[in-house]
Amino acid sequence: MIVKLKHPAPDVAARLASLGASVRTLDFPFGLFLAALGGDVPPAKELQAMAGVEWARPSGSKPLLAARALAPKGSQVTLGRAVVGGTTLALMGGPCSVEDREQIVTTARFIAAYGATGLRGGAYKPRTSPYAFQGLGQAGVELLREAGDASGLPVITEVMDPADVEAMLPFVDCFQIGARNMSSAPLLRAVGRAGKPVLLKRGPASTLEEFVLAAEYILLEGNAQVILCERGIRTFETATRNTLDLNAIPVLKALTHLPVIVDPSHGTGRRDAVIPMARAAVAAGADGIIVEVHPDPSKALSDGAQSLHFAEFRRLAEELGPVALAVGRRLDLPRTQPGGVPYIRRAAGWGSAT
Ligand code: PEP
Ligand code: MN
């Protein structure tokens, strides 16, 4: 049972607890709630008659806390200087894997200078083959933090095991739940309890409703700082690594109040498709873009084929600006390049795909 309160109502919590439910209070910017799980809860009607109750809904198979109706204008997640879900777009970038200090610091500094609002980098890598590079683990998390501090960017990295959350927590600004782990309830609960923003990626074979229900697990732990990320789904098409489902943007926006960003790197698997699909995602109403960038993609230890070169990241930032403006959003680019050179915007042509 989920109960929306008008104000704190200890009587309601006590009544639910007396019936054997495990009761928690969830205090979100979009309302105060009681979640009562298990137990022999009374019918919603009975609770609805109690003082302080706005509504009570039986918990079933539909998302309740993530439902759009709770925040019709959308909710926002603050990550560094970016407010994801506001007018300004979030632009996150970084290598698939953190490889060494120079690689991650150089990338962080470059993308920060050209408009990024967040630094991504995998340290615990969910590789399809157990023989592929598995990431640097906690050492990679700490290098990512160094790079975040060197560039002023908040850092986002994937956690695969609930047991790692505690050690990662002091170094991380946002936990990523990867596509392969989207529906891992213990992991969702663990990042929910950690209380930091979460970037939740859609499973490659998950429906949008399943995706939002995975987010609901995090909210149920009292953490509403969830950013949904569409990263492509598996289809019959083999020309791309995945099929980037841009339908997800308007549909998720109708289902849920959570911000929605798009990952055209994993969504396509092809460098030449990343910028066009990023533009399309912004045009379709995404709240931000996350892309893979590497100083030398030909030498990347993972996902080189879909990683942008630095110059391409810069072009991405430049080309997203006019698209953002066309749909009532903006992308804030720094006014100066490193070294204080004025940043001159290229003409607003679409450029070529590579
Ligand atoms: C990643 O971001 O590098 C990654 C592994 O993504 P996904 O979980 O979407 O495959
Ligand atoms: Mn990757």
Side-chain angles (χ1 to χ4, degrees), residues 96 120 125-126 158 176 178-180 201 231 266 292 303:
C96 179
R120 61 145 291 149
K125 294 304 302 177
E158 178 164 355
Q176 175 172 325
R180 293 160 187 79
K201 297 188 106 185
R231 49 75 75 204
H266 294 86
E292 288 183 339
D303 287 351

Side-chain angles (χ1 to χ4, degrees), residues 6-331:
K6 294 180 199 152
H7 49 74
D11 291 356
V12 182
R15 168 103 179 98
L16 288 163
S18 73
L19 296 167
S22 127
V23 184
R24 44 184 99 151
T25 304
L26 308 170
D27 191 358
F28 294 140
F30 48 87
L32 182 63
F33 301 84
L34 288 178
L37 305 177
D40 191 14
V41 293
K45 259 194 183 163
E46 184 184 315
L47 291 167
Q48 227 140 271
M50 294 183 76
V53 173
E54 192 172 319
W55 52 250
R57 302 213 172 112
S59 31
S61 57
K62 297 277 175 218
L64 291 172
L65 298 169
R68 183 81 190 179
L70 291 184
K73 291 190 178 144
S75 56
Q76 301 183 332
V77 177
T78 301
L79 194 55
R81 69 178 170 85
V83 177
V84 189
T87 307
T88 302
L89 295 181
L91 179 58
M92 304 159 186
C96 179
S97 300
V98 176
E99 296 170 3
D100 57 59
R101 178 175 285 111
E102 194 188 332
Q103 173 238 24
I104 191 67
V105 171
T106 312
T107 307
R109 289 212 167 110
F110 184 89
I111 65 170
Y114 290 102
T117 60
L119 174 67
R120 61 145 291 149
Y124 292 98
K125 294 304 302 177
R127 305 305 301 283
T128 302
S129 163
Y131 304 113
F133 175 60
Q134 303 289 307
L136 297 180
Q138 182 68 17
V141 174
E142 294 177 21
L143 285 177
L144 183 68
R145 174 76 271 155
E146 263 187 50
D149 292 344
S151 59
L153 294 178
V155 300
I156 304 137
T157 196
E158 178 164 355
V159 58
M160 291 170 60
D161 185 336
D164 293 330
V165 168
E166 197 184 334
M168 293 170 76
L169 193 60
F171 300 98
V172 163
D173 298 303
C174 178
F175 283 106
Q176 175 172 325
I177 302 288
R180 293 160 187 79
N181 288 317
M182 181 207 85
S183 43
S184 166
L187 193 54
L188 295 167
R189 290 197 191 99
V191 295
R193 284 194 296 269
K196 287 202 170 169
V198 178
L199 179 69
L200 178 63
K201 297 188 106 185
R202 179 185 183 183
S206 299
T207 66
L208 293 172
E209 189 172 279
E210 288 162 350
F211 187 20
V212 179
L213 282 167
E216 188 91 0
Y217 270 92
I218 302 170
L219 272 76
L220 255 184
E221 298 299 324
N223 186 353
Q225 303 169 82
V226 182
I227 303 164
L228 300 176
C229 179
E230 165 59 43
R231 49 75 75 204
I233 52 176
R234 183 161 284 196
T235 68
F236 55 79
E237 182 55 71
T238 53
T240 50
R241 181 176 178 184
N242 289 290
T243 295
L244 187 62
D245 179 16
L246 295 183
N247 293 352
I249 302 166
V251 175
L252 288 171
K253 294 252 164 212
L255 277 175
T256 167
H257 53 81
L258 300 171
V260 179
I261 71 164
V262 169
D263 172 354
S265 303
H266 294 86
T268 64
R270 301 170 51 130
R271 182 179 309 119
D272 62 349
V274 170
I275 296 178
M277 295 314 287
R279 292 194 308 249
V282 169
D287 295 305
I289 297 292
I290 184 165
V291 289
E292 288 183 339
V293 189
H294 194 284
D296 183 355
S298 70
K299 297 210 173 71
L301 297 183
S302 58
D303 287 351
Q306 67 194 34
S307 298
L308 300 180
H309 295 96
F310 284 180
E312 290 164 329
F313 180 83
R314 178 184 173 175
R315 191 154 61 76
L316 168 76
E318 290 168 344
E319 292 188 12
L320 288 183
V323 184
L325 287 177
V327 293
R329 312 292 288 265
R330 27 193 287 219
L331 185 73

